Amino acid sequence: MSDDTAAARMAAIRAKRDSVMDGGRPEAVAKQHGRGRMTARERVAAMLDPGSFREIGALVEPMRDTDLTSVLEAPADGIVAGRGTIEGRPVYILADDFTVLGGSVGPIGSDKTQRLMDLAERTGYPLVWLQEGAGHRIQDGLDSRHFVSAGPLFWKLGRLSGRVPVVTAVLGPGSAGPTNIAAFADFTVMWRGRAQMGIGGPPLVKAATGQDIDTEDLGGAAVQADRQGMADMAPDTEEACFAALRRYLSFMPSNSEQLPPVTECKDPIDRRSDDLSAMIPDSPRRSYDMRKVLQEIVDRDSFFEIKPTHAKNITTAFARLGGRPVALIANNPQFLAGMLDAKASEKAARHIAIADAYGLPLVYFIDVPGIMVGSDAEASTLGLRSGKLLYELAVATVPRYSVVVRKGYGGAYYAMNGGRGFHADGCWVWPTSDVCAMSIETALNVAYRRDWQNAPDPAARKAELEAEIRTKLTPLRAAEHFGIDDVIDPAETRQVLAEAIAIAPARPHDPGPRKKRAISPI
């Protein structure tokens, strides 16, 4: 006679739960460690505050209703799911378990992921997804009863977009579905040298196209983080990936209805930065590292760069001013002279969208010689990409500020929130600034070429014209017709910005006339 007492049932439940934990699967754990990787549960523990994880669905079994799936052993159906806290703030978390059929997820595991998405939307807490796996399980996908409904995963991710922060770390193979999940995320990191993303992995590429290519060349960090910018960062260790996710979330509210979290600021807002002037070379042809300028202005140790290895001609970052989170966008003259190209435009446009979704003020630092031109620029669809940059700024409702550090030329000046073109809540220039429709050299070769070429001494006439034009491009002249708020001492920039941001309304810009939605250029 079987023992069916409550105590016996509880013992059976404990035994079942123990069997799916790492302690109950020593061979699988050893194999994962042998690959130099944490298990899914170890990753969850490393990501969250100690002792805060509360798992759901640990006791589920895979669906075994076909000959292909009847023999599957899939503890927790390949996905670890639950909630916990990061720095005391609640989050929901998912972790693909690579030790279970290569991290593939079956119908029951998919139900768990969708349950967490529903909870994240309903309660307004961020979603963290630690990915390492093959996405949908092939054995289940070869049954039309399961696959024909498609499933609401991406619809739910779309609903979460802009509602709560969604962050992901790709920690191993991540082709197909996991790549699209990463694309939906607000912030994605991938483990350099260990993680890959792409629409199809090498076996599928070989079968479909005949091309032989390894995983790194196809979708490693050099491709997806450095070249394409799909991943926002590619740390060298798992721990650094988790630290990056935590750091990103520290700037964000739990949801779009809340204000960004303000922290205590021990760095005085009136701290003068007297070194700033020396950072800007006297010659406009000499470069400098704009990131050093930004780090000198924001709260000490608060600078967190996004996509640091991608489109380096523009710098995007989160930081704090007076303890308040802000989103920084700045041209970096060290790369392509700070020129706007297609990749830089996309990078900055996405940064605007994230800042606007979660209420972070936009702060621009401008040193831009223009927008890239030429056949290569057109082949990159730069017209659409720069249009998207302008569009995102036009539809944003958060406060926005600009500081012209040096060059502010042509349409790129507009795209970088220069002047009052996008109703900036504050716009200032430094004494080193130089704002005009195009560079003097270009203007001389386009608008004044006949003048100086037909002169008795062309070189002298060209120099004379250049000197004359320069007299009209001074910071004082820029301020005369009130196209900016003021010319400020670089050393006072921190205080000027911090004071303005401290008193700004959360959403000073209305979304425009009544309509269903705006339409992005791309």
Side-chain angles (χ1 to χ4, degrees):
M1 181 176 178
S2 62
D3 186 356
D4 195 32
T5 63
R9 289 185 178 185
M10 195 68 243
I13 291 168
R14 289 196 189 98
K16 172 65 175 177
R17 193 183 305 279
D18 289 344
S19 73
V20 302
M21 298 294 146
D22 286 356
R25 306 176 63 238
E27 291 183 4
V29 171
K31 186 174 181 179
Q32 182 76 345
H33 287 171
R35 299 170 61 235
R37 302 169 189 261
M38 297 183 190
T39 67
R41 286 188 168 78
E42 287 170 341
R43 287 167 173 167
V44 168
M47 183 72 211
L48 299 177
D49 295 339
S52 70
F53 182 53
R54 177 69 64 181
E55 187 171 359
I56 67 168
L59 303 179
V60 305
E61 291 283 345
M63 193 172 287
R64 298 189 179 100
D65 58 350
T66 70
D67 291 340
L68 292 174
T69 59
S70 61
V71 296
L72 292 180
E73 289 296 329
D77 209 21
I79 190 85
V80 177
R83 59 176 168 82
T85 61
I86 295 175
E87 296 183 0
R89 301 167 65 199
V91 300
Y92 290 98
I93 189 164
L94 296 162
D96 300 338
D97 191 342
F98 192 80
T99 70
V100 178
L101 301 175
S104 62
V105 180
I108 306 302
S110 294
D111 288 344
K112 289 164 63 174
T113 67
Q114 292 161 28
R115 168 71 169 161
L116 248 65
M117 290 180 196
D118 289 340
L119 289 170
E121 179 184 344
R122 189 182 313 154
T123 61
Y125 291 122
L127 177 67
V128 179
W129 199 327
L130 309 179
Q131 296 196 86
E132 183 188 18
H136 197 283
R137 188 171 299 142
I138 292 175
Q139 292 91 329
D140 291 297
L142 295 178
D143 185 337
S144 294
R145 293 174 303 172
H146 297 160
F147 199 74
V148 71
S149 68
L153 170 66
F154 295 109
W155 177 70
K156 290 178 183 290
L157 282 170
R159 289 178 63 86
L160 289 181
S161 180
R163 162 64 175 155
V164 298
V166 177
V167 300
T168 183
V170 182
L171 302 166
S175 297
T179 293
N180 289 126
I181 292 166
F184 267 89
D186 306 332
F187 182 68
T188 296
V189 299
M190 64 186 301
W191 186 4
R192 189 176 291 276
R194 299 295 192 94
Q196 303 85 34
M197 289 191 285
I199 298 303
L204 180 59
V205 171
K206 173 67 174 177
T209 70
Q211 180 186 16
D212 284 308
I213 188 169
D214 66 30
T215 54
E216 278 298 303
D217 290 337
L218 181 63
V223 176
Q224 302 292 15
D226 304 343
R227 190 186 313 158
Q228 308 289 10
M230 183 173 179
D232 296 288
M233 200 173 291
D236 292 323
T237 66
E238 283 186 281
E239 293 83 355
C241 288
F242 306 145
L245 295 185
R246 289 193 296 269
R247 184 87 187 276
Y248 175 89
L249 290 171
S250 73
F251 292 98
M252 299 294 153
S254 291
N255 61 68
S256 58
E257 299 301 313
Q258 297 181 0
L259 295 175
V262 179
T263 60
E264 180 185 2
C265 180
K266 297 181 180 180
D267 187 4
I269 64 167
D270 60 355
R271 168 177 57 79
R272 286 180 58 87
S273 302
D274 292 308
D275 293 335
L276 283 171
S277 294
M279 292 183 184
I280 312 304
D282 292 330
S283 171
R285 291 182 174 84
R286 287 183 57 199
S287 69
Y288 61 95
D289 190 348
M290 179 67 85
R291 292 169 297 185
K292 294 181 179 179
V293 172
L294 302 179
Q295 290 170 11
E296 182 63 27
I297 292 169
V298 301
D299 295 354
R300 296 294 190 200
D301 301 321
S302 72
F303 183 80
F304 181 59
E305 189 172 0
I306 305 298
K307 300 186 190 298
T309 61
H310 173 68
K312 295 180 181 180
N313 41 320
I314 199 158
T315 296
T316 53
F318 296 113
R320 285 187 169 82
L321 276 166
R324 290 176 169 80
V326 296
L328 305 175
I329 299 176
N331 312 107
N332 193 341
Q334 269 199 330
F335 306 95
L336 295 178
M339 188 89 69
L340 289 180
D341 61 0
K343 291 182 178 181
S345 297
E346 280 279 5
K347 176 178 172 179
R350 179 171 175 81
H351 203 59
I352 296 169
I354 291 172
D356 190 46
Y358 298 112
L360 277 68
L362 293 161
V363 184
Y364 289 75
F365 288 82
I366 304 171
D367 187 352
V368 63
I371 300 176
M372 194 76 74
V373 296
S375 59
D376 288 344
E378 299 308 326
S380 71
T381 66
L382 178 54
L384 287 170
R385 310 292 168 175
S386 59
K388 184 178 180 181
L389 176 57
L390 292 158
Y391 163 84
E392 289 292 353
L393 183 53
V395 300
T397 61
V398 292
R400 53 261 201 154
Y401 307 89
S402 69
V403 177
V404 183
V405 175
R406 194 164 63 172
K407 301 171 187 173
Y409 293 167
Y413 177 67
Y414 283 76
M416 288 297 296
N417 190 36
R420 306 198 191 279
F422 288 92
H423 289 210
D425 299 273
C427 47
W428 303 276
V429 303
W430 282 5
T432 49
S433 65
D434 179 10
V435 181
C436 57
M438 64 177 64
S439 71
I440 296 176
E441 185 65 29
T442 302
L444 289 171
N445 288 326
V446 173
Y448 297 96
R449 185 173 66 246
R450 289 185 180 179
D451 184 316
W452 60 264
Q453 282 186 343
N454 294 330
D457 187 342
R461 177 55 180 160
K462 188 176 183 181
E464 180 184 358
L465 286 168
E466 180 177 349
E468 181 180 345
I469 293 171
R470 286 200 180 280
T471 64
K472 299 175 182 179
L473 303 182
T474 66
L476 285 176
R477 192 171 178 86
E480 283 178 2
H481 286 184
F482 200 46
I484 55 167
D485 291 337
D486 202 0
V487 182
I488 59 172
D489 181 347
E492 297 175 355
T493 304
R494 170 178 168 78
Q495 183 172 2
V496 169
L497 285 169
E499 289 176 349
I501 291 167
I503 63 171
R507 300 277 180 178
H509 302 278
D510 70 73
R514 186 176 179 181
K515 54 191 169 185
K516 295 299 183 183
R517 62 171 292 167
I519 302 170
S520 170
I522 191 168

